[in-house]
Amino acid sequence: MRPTAALLLSANALLSASCVNGLAEEVFAAIDKQDDGLRTVNKEIWENPELGYQEVHAHKTLTDFLEEQGFNITRSAYNISTAFRAEYASGEGRAVSFNSEYDALPGIGHACGHNLIATIGVAAAIGVKEALQNQGVSGKVVLIGTPAEESLGGKIKLLEAGAYDGLDCSLMAHPGNKAYASYGRTLASWRANVTWSGEASHAAAAPFMGRNALDGFVSAYTSTGLYRQQLMATDRIHHVIQGASDMVANIIPDFVDSVWGVRGHSRPRAEQVREQLYRILYASSNATNTTIDITPFQDYWDQNPSFQLASEYHRLQMEHLNPLEDAETSNFTVVAPEDDSGEASASSDQGNVSWFLPAIQVGFPVGGTAPVHNAGFRELAGTDFAHQQAIKTAKVLALTGLQVLQNETFAKAMWEEWEQMIEEISVGLS
Ligand SMILES: *[C@@H]1O[C@H](CO)[C@@H](O)[C@H](O)[C@H]1NC(C)=O
Ligand SMILES: *[C@@H]1O[C@H](CO)[C@@H](O)[C@H](O)[C@H]1NC(C)=O
Ligand SMILES: *[C@@H]1O[C@H](CO)[C@@H](O)[C@H](O)[C@H]1NC(C)=O
Ligand SMILES: *[C@@H]1O[C@H](CO)[C@@H](O)[C@H](O)[C@H]1NC(C)=O
Ligand SMILES: *[C@@H]1O[C@H](CO)[C@@H](O)[C@H](O)[C@H]1NC(C)=O
Ligand SMILES: *[C@@H]1O[C@H](CO)[C@@H](O)[C@H](O)[C@H]1NC(C)=O
Ligand SMILES: *[C@@H]1O[C@H](CO)[C@@H](O)[C@H](O)[C@H]1NC(C)=O
Ligand SMILES: *[C@@H]1O[C@H](CO)[C@@H](O)[C@H](O)[C@H]1NC(C)=O
Ligand SMILES: [Zn+2]
Ligand SMILES: [Zn+2]
């Protein structure tokens, strides 16, 4: 039998002294009960790496499992074939959301550990669902399946399609080596395809008839190398060749296709670096009399976490699953939000989400020394230890979400703080 609204209200009032803490046991038990299934989902995704927007197997694995768990599922949500939305609601109230990512990298599989991110989203949603279904909490939990994080910006398409409308927060996590970090900023990131087109000719008989596309690329590559002296520590420029005309030594190369990335601490800074890069690129074309073509395809905004959500996550973690009290993880580091330098290194399409509603992307360790985007990290992301860390992270994320659902004061303060932050970081933006 479902409790009446009046009963629910009084129950909530009674619980309000320690509402979230009071539910931790039930929430953790609900997640633990599904651990075998969660381990299988994790393994299925890890063993079958798929690139952005091609995550067909991950999409099926996740949505089938979520359906078995009793969520309302929309497969291929928002007309994106590998996106999904899973929902569970009980009564009126706020809506908490989690993200599952599941795209892999070319050649090195799940070397960013998105199999763990996918698992955490599902586990956290199961935790909140328990509170909604059996513990008298009202509101809604939404799990968004967000494809193509690595470069094609699945969450940006989802934002534009309205996937985050009406939600109160977006919670997710990302694996790393050694640290538990609840407040992680990320850099603003811009990326473009850049091609140089020239004229082929015999490299010995008629080099003066050629226009060298490789020289165009090398000229720009060299100029960015020189420009690095003027960069700030948090700026990034990186570039690779992704295609070219047949490279033989006796033909002047007439085509190079490359990708260029620019990142900065904030959007204005990334824009400034990008402006200088444009000068460098045009100059390289001019210097080699080749034609240049610049086609941008990525614009991830900097991620600005909700300090209040990060602080609550940290508090709940230390109270319920303090990693320093666990022999297996006592030699890792826990970085409190107030001790985080705020210096970001990577980027994420969750950056865009953080400008739309209060959001966090907490970090958790899988150990080892192989860095993300290294084949060694793929191995670290596939271990039982990594899975256990993911489950612990999901438990604390679920409790954080429950604080948003249950605590009106908390939710109000979270939104106010977020609005003020957005106002502050928008100064100077066009
Ligand atoms: C869905 O996407 C397909 C191609 O990806 C497009 O042709 C179609 O018009 C879209 N439908 C809607 C309703 O947006
Ligand atoms: C599932 O969706 C149906 C149809 O929209 C709705 O009536 C029902 O309340 C939903 N169930 C849950 C648990 O959210
Ligand atoms: C290219 O070089 C010419 C000088 O030969 C200069 O006048 C022109 O401004 C340059 N264009 C660009 C885009 O750098
Ligand atoms: C640059 O290339 C064009 C052909 O695209 C050619 O007409 C022109 O003479 C070249 N300029 C120089 C300075 O070689
Ligand atoms: C960038 O280049 C890649 C590889 O050629 C291609 O698949 C992709 O469609 C290009 N993106 C854009 C926006 O042109
Ligand atoms: C996110 O990114 C796109 C560019 O890719 C931008 O146009 C959009 O306004 C950004 N912000 C939000 C909050 O979606
Ligand atoms: C922590 O200790 C374990 C063994 O107790 C070891 O395997 C692991 O590498 C250590 N991790 C760090 C970050 O020092
Ligand atoms: C509710 O949130 C407020 C503001 O963050 C906090 O002071 C209070 O302790 C919270 N109540 C519970 C029961 O967690
Ligand atoms: Zn990655
Ligand atoms: Zn990643």
Side-chain angles (χ1 to χ4, degrees):
M1 204 184 86
R2 294 181 58 77
T4 65
L7 249 170
L8 235 160
L9 271 177
S10 60
N12 279 348
L14 281 173
L15 278 170
S16 72
S18 60
C19 43
V20 165
N21 299 354
L23 289 181
E25 212 175 300
E26 289 80 1
V27 166
F28 290 3
I31 295 172
D32 287 333
K33 203 174 153 205
Q34 301 305 328
D35 193 50
D36 288 348
L38 289 163
R39 185 70 186 99
T40 305
V41 165
N42 179 355
K43 201 156 182 273
E44 272 299 316
I45 299 172
W46 185 76
E47 282 176 353
N48 298 282
E50 298 162 305
L51 298 180
Y53 293 131
Q54 298 166 30
E55 310 98 327
V56 178
H57 185 72
H59 176 267
K60 182 171 172 16
T61 304
L62 289 160
T63 53
D64 286 356
F65 184 73
L66 286 157
E67 198 166 52
E68 271 168 36
Q69 297 293 316
F71 288 89
N72 269 349
I73 310 289
T74 310
R75 294 185 167 84
S76 300
Y78 309 101
N79 202 25
I80 301 169
S81 64
T82 55
F84 68 82
R85 182 180 176 103
E87 239 183 78
Y88 192 94
S90 175
E92 295 296 307
R94 284 176 287 279
V96 48
S97 79
F98 302 100
N99 290 330
S100 282
E101 294 175 359
Y102 31 84
D103 59 325
L105 291 155
I108 48 174
H110 276 293
C112 210
H114 293 186
N115 56 302
L116 299 168
I117 301 178
T119 308
I120 289 170
V122 176
I126 287 173
V128 174
K129 175 171 166 280
E130 164 65 22
L132 293 170
Q133 191 172 9
N134 302 319
Q135 310 298 333
V137 175
S138 48
K140 181 158 65 171
V141 60
V142 177
L143 174 61
I144 306 179
T146 69
E149 186 279 336
E150 286 293 349
S151 73
L152 299 175
K155 291 185 199 69
I156 292 167
K157 275 198 193 178
L158 286 161
L159 272 167
E160 284 167 0
Y164 292 85
D165 293 359
L167 302 176
D168 285 279
C169 63
S170 170
L171 313 177
M172 64 174 295
H174 201 291
N177 292 116
K178 288 187 181 173
Y180 296 89
S182 45
Y183 182 83
R185 284 194 83 260
T186 63
L187 302 171
S189 173
W190 173 90
R191 232 174 270 176
N193 285 344
V194 182
T195 63
W196 285 261
S197 303
E199 187 73 40
S201 74
H202 197 292
F208 41 84
M209 301 284 287
R211 291 182 295 117
N212 195 323
L214 182 58
D215 283 356
F217 173 83
V218 170
S219 164
Y221 194 93
T222 308
S223 296
T224 29
L226 299 176
Y227 176 42
R228 282 184 208 284
Q229 190 184 15
Q230 272 64 55
L231 293 180
M232 292 177 176
T234 45
D235 297 332
R236 300 282 184 276
I237 302 179
H238 39 100
H239 27 215
V240 290
I241 292 178
Q242 64 177 344
S245 50
D246 286 333
M247 285 289 164
V248 284
N250 61 355
I251 301 177
I252 300 294
D254 68 351
F255 184 71
V256 168
D257 182 7
S258 61
V259 185
W260 290 66
V262 166
R263 308 193 201 205
H265 185 260
S266 61
R267 268 192 292 148
R269 178 58 191 168
E271 272 163 33
Q272 202 171 15
V273 176
R274 190 174 71 209
E275 193 180 312
Q276 183 59 29
L277 177 66
Y278 266 96
R279 290 166 185 243
I280 287 172
L281 292 172
Y282 288 133
S284 77
S285 153
N286 212 1
T288 55
N289 198 15
T290 51
T291 309
I292 196 163
D293 183 67
I294 305 170
T295 313
F297 64 85
Q298 181 192 93
D299 192 9
Y300 289 1
W301 290 6
D302 44 316
Q303 173 176 274
N304 293 279
S306 153
F307 191 79
Q308 193 181 319
L309 283 173
S311 303
E312 187 61 9
Y313 177 89
H314 176 69
R315 186 185 75 76
L316 290 165
Q317 177 176 47
M318 297 316 266
E319 187 172 326
H320 294 281
L321 289 164
N322 184 345
L324 305 178
E325 282 173 2
D326 181 335
E328 266 204 303
T329 54
S330 59
N331 55 358
F332 291 122
T333 338
V334 180
V335 187
E338 58 275 20
D339 297 333
D340 196 300
S341 67
E343 277 190 21
S345 59
S347 307
S348 169
D349 54 3
Q350 180 73 352
N352 267 55
V353 174
S354 77
W355 284 80
F356 190 77
L357 82 173
I360 48 171
Q361 179 165 198
V362 303
F364 66 98
V366 299
T369 52
V372 285
H373 290 203
N374 173 292
F377 196 85
R378 173 191 59 213
E379 300 311 312
L380 294 168
T383 63
D384 286 336
F385 176 74
H387 178 76
Q388 287 151 16
Q389 290 303 302
I391 294 302
K392 287 181 181 170
T393 303
K395 287 176 175 172
V396 184
L397 280 179
L399 293 188
T400 310
L402 280 172
Q403 186 69 279
V404 175
L405 289 186
Q406 291 184 281
N407 187 336
E408 175 89 39
T409 317
F410 181 88
K412 211 161 160 267
M414 172 191 75
W415 273 109
E416 277 167 11
E417 180 222 39
W418 179 84
E419 274 155 19
Q420 195 186 334
M421 173 186 74
I422 294 296
E423 201 173 303
E424 279 165 17
I425 60 181
S426 296
V427 172
L429 289 178
S430 48

